[in-house]
Amino acid sequence: MGLKRRNRVSPNFSMASMTDVIFLLLIFFMITSTVVSPNAIKVLLPQGKQQTSAKPLTRVIIDKDLNFYAAFGNEKEQPVALNDLTSFLQSCAEKEPEMYVALYADESVPYREIVRVLNIANENHFKMVLATRPPENR
């Protein structure tokens, strides 16, 4: 008994649906990347006319409650004591010798706290950048 199938499976594969999925994923990631905030710690920066264009390798953040946070590269900010900040920055400098540090300090932070961090950077010959926000147009 010779039974034959009448419907044959086509060996062709349509990529039309695959390109639609990739296009939608591309749109999704483009939209969500603009929503992501680079700093999870809320700091109201002082205003400044000059803005740095380069991305810092290391971030030191001082919030309004005088809590210190630090992070290297794209890592999440971790709480750090002022006494441990020197060793943290030195370990980051070992990873990247041409590292520079961006200091994000809330505008209500006393100047002496900022100077403490600047002194640590100066003693260890780190390049330091003070982060500001652009001036508001009134």
Side-chain angles (χ1 to χ4, degrees):
M1 218 170 146
L3 296 175
K4 290 186 179 181
R5 286 187 164 185
R6 292 185 187 212
N7 295 335
R8 289 194 164 187
V9 178
S10 174
N12 297 335
F13 179 73
S14 175
M15 290 293 291
S17 62
M18 185 67 72
T19 56
D20 290 345
V21 169
I22 291 176
F23 183 68
L24 289 173
L25 283 173
L26 178 66
I27 291 173
F28 172 76
F29 286 118
M30 287 174 56
I31 291 173
T32 57
S33 67
T34 59
V35 175
V36 175
S37 174
N39 293 330
I41 300 165
K42 296 294 180 194
V43 176
L44 182 61
L45 297 173
Q47 292 183 0
K49 292 182 182 175
Q50 288 291 86
Q51 301 294 312
T52 181
S53 61
K55 296 240 181 217
L57 291 174
T58 305
R59 298 178 308 282
V60 176
I61 302 169
I62 309 173
D63 67 5
K64 63 182 178 181
D65 300 323
L66 301 181
N67 297 318
F68 288 80
Y69 301 90
F72 178 74
N74 292 331
E75 297 173 358
K76 188 177 185 294
E77 294 87 3
Q78 300 293 327
V80 64
L82 183 61
N83 300 335
D84 300 332
L85 188 59
T86 304
S87 61
F88 175 81
L89 292 176
Q90 287 172 345
S91 68
C92 292
E94 290 173 4
K95 297 176 192 173
E96 180 62 46
E98 293 298 317
M99 163 193 88
Y100 64 98
V101 182
L103 177 60
Y104 295 85
D106 194 273
E107 65 182 8
S108 64
V109 171
Y111 192 63
R112 71 177 172 271
E113 300 299 327
I114 296 171
V115 170
R116 286 181 184 172
V117 176
L118 292 174
N119 284 337
I120 290 171
N122 188 33
E123 291 168 1
N124 293 287
H125 306 288
F126 299 137
K127 298 172 193 160
M128 180 70 77
V129 176
L130 292 175
T132 59
R133 63 185 161 100
E136 297 172 356
N137 296 331
R138 293 181 187 204

